[in-house]
Every structure is written in structure tokens, then in C-alpha cells.
Amino acid sequence: MKTIFKTSLMVAAICLSGNIMAQVSFGKLQNQIKRDQTGLNQFDVKKDSVEFKGLSIDLGGAFNMDYQALNSFNDQPATFALPSKIVGYRLMNNENNFVLPAADMTIGAQLFDGVRVNLDIYLASRHHNDTYARGGYLQIDKLDFIKKDFLAGVMKYATIKIGQMENNFGDAHFRSSDNGSTLRNAFVGNNIMNAFSTDMGMEIYYNRSGLVSMIGATNGNLNQGIQEVTYTAGPNTNTVVSPTILAKFGYDKQIDKDLRVRLTASYYHSANLGNSNLYSSSRSGFGYWGVLNNNAYTNNGVAVAGNYNSTSTPEGTFNPGFKNWATTIMINPFLKFKGFEFFGTVELASGGDKAGVDAKRTANQYAGDVVYRFGKSEQFYLAAKYNTVSGKLSNADAKEVTVNRVESSIGWFMTKNIVAKLDYVSQNYKNYTQFVGNVPTGNANNFYGGNFKGLVFEAAISF
């Protein structure tokens, strides 16, 4: 009897498994941008002709590993004269070695014809030691769940995205690294002033005959909550957060089999910033580790901790630090002729320092990169990039600071899911004050005459 019972259970399990497999497929998702080499230079959203055949599951991952050989320098003298009394200051002499690898996981499902859900997870990142959600969203490309062919003429070109997701400001983030997802970046670094956010919101797209258009809104919060928001004490305290408005308009056309032309202009505005700053919301860190960090030292007998980065986001990015309101316009030209690509960024950002003080200051960024892809399947590439940012770090500063970078890279797609690249970088800091707060008694400013340069080898897998 026991043998018959066990056999019956096995048969039932096999039948149940077969029934599940008959109802659920894997990897047949509609309107999805591929995460491998075939997804390069895919911007915004896209429509395809994948047929809906019931519930389908998607599982993907992205991993990278970097070997870094970078050196940091600045113009701080070896010893300081009074009255600063700074003793033992020096930049860290980082060893050439592997840095912490990063890993992502993506889980998706096609729920209905024209409706799919996506969840992105950071498995391992610099920001946290544990796994946490990057974001998730619902993408609607058809409204057939309301009624068959409901607004089909509109939805043929329209897409709706709702959730906490990578907000679509500008085109640069589509060619940038994000934690383990670095295959789409021909380089190791992102733009110095890195526009990236994952706020709760909604985006509506309408792309037709080369027209690119999107309008969206978010609640301006990276971390969700309902507590009172307080920026400063006094009668002008902001206790509300205004929605962030996003928009993009442009033209994208494959002129012939060899030539593609794209030009977009994007808009970002928040009247009262929440806990999300467009230039400080990336939780996966910068492409270069430990640059322009110092060892522990003393200032007037007070211990100053190691790894102290002053007046800017750690490890090399530039954050203008807008705290009250912010408006940014980004213009991105893209040209691809056969294996040659050009991509540019003109980014004009402005904002205020704090609640009740609306004095305007600006930070402007310009970047351009060229990539030449060659080989039978364009599996090899050579790339070069120049990037510069200038702006005040606060309204009280006497003058703007400037950060510029030269970067070059060679790469090899071993398969469409695996890329290896060797990156050279040299980044320079100009007009930073010698001391934090520009007073002799302040801590030493690591970015005073700062520079880091060297090589990074990166291997990345994405599927």
C-alpha cells in the first residue's frame, strides 16, 4: 500500500507540474528592452510583436567585477603652517586590487496582453550589505483588460508606466552603469553630475513616426513615508513636498540601414524637494572607488576620521546640493552611422539652497563620447569621452568650481551577454578652496587641486 501511495503521489505531482507548465511560460514578455548587447542604444520604451500566450515569467541578472589601479593627488602641502595646526594629513595610497563586485536581479511577469510587471533588486551593492529592492513598476501597452481593443488606436503608440522606478529624465541614464548593470556603458564611469532617481511616480509615452514624447510626475521621494518634512526652523519652513514634473520630447529615426539620428530635450522641476535629490539618489556608488580619500589626522588636536570627503558627494561625482527647488534641462544628441556612435549631453541645472531662500545658482555640465564598434557582430569597440561640470556648491561661495574628466576605453563582447573592458581615466578639480568652509581652521579639502587617474579593468555579465 505504501508503494502504491508513493507512486500515486509521484504521478499526481508530475501531472500537476505538467499542468502548471502548460499555463505558465518563461521569457515571453512583450515590449521588453533586452539586457544584453542587442539592447544597446534602446531608449525609453518600445513596441514589439510578441504574441500573448498567457502568464509568462522573466528572470534576469547582472554582475560586474572591477580590478582598479588608480592614484589620487592634490595640492595640499605636506605640512601646514599655523593657525590650522593640521597634523598627519595625507591622501590614501590605495592598493591595486579587486573592488567589491556588484550583482542585480530582475524578476518580471507578463500578466495580461499588453500588461507586465517588473521588479529590480540589488543583490550586492556598495550602499548596503544586504539585498534590497531598487524599484518595481507596472507597464501598460494595451487597455484590453478594460475592453477588447479599448483605445487601440492610441495604445498602438502609447505606453503607461506606474511604480517606483528609474525615472526617465534625459537619455544619459540609458548609457550609464547602475550597480551590477554595466554592460550598456562603454566606459566605467557615468557622467560626473549623474542624473539618476528612483522615485514613486507615473510616466506616459507617445512615440510615433520618429516622434519621441513623455510626460511624467513623481512624489519627489526616494524613501517613502508620511512624516512632516522640515528643512529649516522658522516661519518659512517647508512642511510639504511638491510633485516632481518630468518631460521629454524629441526625434528618433532610422534614416536608412546605416544611419540613425536622435535628438531629445528633457525637463525636470520640483518646487519643494523631498528626500530625493536628482544628483545624489544613486545608491550603487561611483564607478571609481576610494579616490581622493584621506587617512585619519588631527586638526587643532581634534581627530578627523579617515575617508573624509568634503563639499561634494564621495568618490568623485559632483552634487550641486540643491535643497529647496531645482530645475534641470538636458539635451542629448545621438548619431549612429554604421559602427560609429556619437552621444552628447548638455545639462543646465539650477536650484535654491534652502527653504525661504530662493536665490538661484546654477551648475552646467557638458559631455561628449565617441564609440567605434567593429567586428562581424560589432563585438569590439574603441571609445573616448570628455566631461566637464562647473557650478557653485552654495550661494555663499565666491566662485564656481570645475570638475573635468578625460576617459577612454577598449572593449570586447565575448558573447552578447559578456563584456570585458579596459578603462583609462583622468579627473581634475579646479577652484576648490584649500580648507572646508574656506577658513584656515577648517579641515583640509581633499579636492583642493585634486586629481585621480589610472586604469580599471571591468568584466560584466547581463542576461
Side-chain angles (χ1 to χ4, degrees), residues 58 68 79 102 173 222 256 294 304 327 346 384 401 410:
D58 173 63
Q68 180 174 291
T79 58
H173 67 110
L222 177 66
D256 55 39
N294 61 271
V304 178
T327 300
V346 176
V401 298
I410 58 175

Side-chain angles (χ1 to χ4, degrees), residues 439-454:
V439 294
T441 55
N443 290 326
N445 190 341
N446 293 343
F447 300 110
Y448 174 64
N451 165 262
F452 68 87
K453 58 186 175 182

Side-chain angles (χ1 to χ4, degrees), residues 403-452:
V403 186
N404 57 58
R405 182 198 301 160
V406 175
E407 193 172 0
S408 60
S409 182
I410 58 175
W412 173 31
F413 279 89
M414 301 164 63
T415 75
K416 66 179 182 179
N417 300 98
I418 306 172
V419 66
K421 45 189 162 179
L422 181 64
D423 185 271
Y424 171 80
V425 62
S426 177
Q427 183 161 312
N428 296 281
Y429 297 74
K430 298 180 179 180
N431 298 327
Y432 280 79
T433 58
Q434 185 174 1
F435 303 101
V436 178
N438 198 25
V439 294
T441 55
N443 290 326
N445 190 341
N446 293 343
F447 300 110
Y448 174 64
N451 165 262
F452 68 87

